[in-house]
Amino acid sequence: MRHGWDVRGIVHVDAGADPAQALDETVWLQGLADQTGLPSAIVAFADLAGPKLDALLAAHAAHRNVRGIRHIVNWHPDPRRSYTSRDVTQDEAWQAGYARLAAHNLSFDLQAYPGQLPALARLIARYPDTPVMVNHAGMMVPGEETEWRAGMRALAAIPHVAIKLSGFGFTRRSFDADHARGIILSAIDWFRADRVMVASDFPTDKLFGTFDAQLSACAAVIADFTEDEQRAMFAGNANRLYRLGLSL
């Protein structure tokens, strides 16, 4: 139990380690899972445009708890917001790397800004065997709601894309339950209840609000949905999409 929440499984998403230590992180996490049963699944890091990508993907996938890859690709015209010097998702090498994920039975956790999403949606649609989990509700930037809505709709139209509800303070640098409510309801409207996962980004989200406050806000928003839909969004969808194999 965590703050009264019945946490039965954990999906660890890469913690931003030095790229040279990407496999070391997976080895360490798998060791923890073997000893304690957690994390239930691992989303590892790989630079999709990096050298010897296939070898790295195979090495990650050889660990039984690895389910997918995340390569943070947030690019924004405002250098104060951008994580990268250019939009690497437009590079042929990166797109070729993305195409290799399915060969290793790996999903992809997508963390990008709304302005990048329409082009990414076109790429993602070409590879239906690679499940995609949109991180942090699409990271809506204040003042760019139009771009966010366009990007979300483009991704939601692709059946193998799901969205995670987390990180509501990332672009605002605060947590506001009313603001989160609009994002949550829009995400559910577009993706439907079977492709939405209530998530946390702790410890990072701790900068913006408490674990209980953020999950309670999600619970309050979805309280009017059916019990089956609520269970799906809080647990069942993650269990299915990340292949956790938990008894819920």
Side-chain angles (χ1 to χ4, degrees), residues 73-76 87-90 111-121:
V73 291
N74 291 77
W75 178 82
H76 195 278
D87 186 356
V88 298
T89 68
Q90 298 301 299
Q111 183 176 321
Y113 281 128
Q116 299 172 275
L117 299 182
L120 278 163

Side-chain angles (χ1 to χ4, degrees), residues 77-129:
D78 183 347
R80 294 172 298 177
R81 290 196 180 275
S82 196
Y83 290 43
T84 59
S85 60
R86 69 180 193 285
D87 186 356
V88 298
T89 68
Q90 298 301 299
D91 294 351
E92 289 185 9
W94 193 91
Q95 295 181 11
Y98 182 87
R100 297 301 303 152
L101 293 170
H104 298 276
N105 195 31
L106 294 166
S107 61
F108 186 66
D109 265 56
L110 173 62
Q111 183 176 321
Y113 281 128
Q116 299 172 275
L117 299 182
L120 278 163
R122 293 191 289 273
L123 173 69
I124 288 166
R126 298 206 303 266
Y127 301 99
D129 294 331

Side-chain angles (χ1 to χ4, degrees), residues 111-150:
Q111 183 176 321
Y113 281 128
Q116 299 172 275
L117 299 182
L120 278 163
R122 293 191 289 273
L123 173 69
I124 288 166
R126 298 206 303 266
Y127 301 99
D129 294 331
T130 302
V132 173
M133 325 302 184
V134 180
N135 286 194
H136 310 321
M139 296 189 73
M140 184 172 70
V141 176
E144 298 180 10
E145 289 84 356
T146 299
E147 291 85 348
W148 176 76
R149 290 179 179 278

Side-chain angles (χ1 to χ4, degrees), residues 154-170:
L155 290 172
I158 305 169
H160 61 279
V161 178
I163 190 166
K164 297 197 293 188
L165 304 177
S166 64
F168 296 111
F170 255 121

Side-chain angles (χ1 to χ4, degrees), residues 1 6 10 14 18 23-24 27 33 38 48 53 58 65 67 80 93 108 123 131 155 164 181 189 193 201 206 218 220:
M1 300 289 287
D6 183 8
I10 295 172
D14 92 277
D18 187 310
L23 187 57
D24 294 333
V27 171
L38 295 173
L48 296 188
L53 175 65
N65 284 44
R67 299 292 185 270
R80 294 172 298 177
F108 186 66
L123 173 69
L155 290 172
K164 297 197 293 188
R181 180 181 181 85
D189 184 43
D201 186 40
K206 195 174 184 179
C218 289

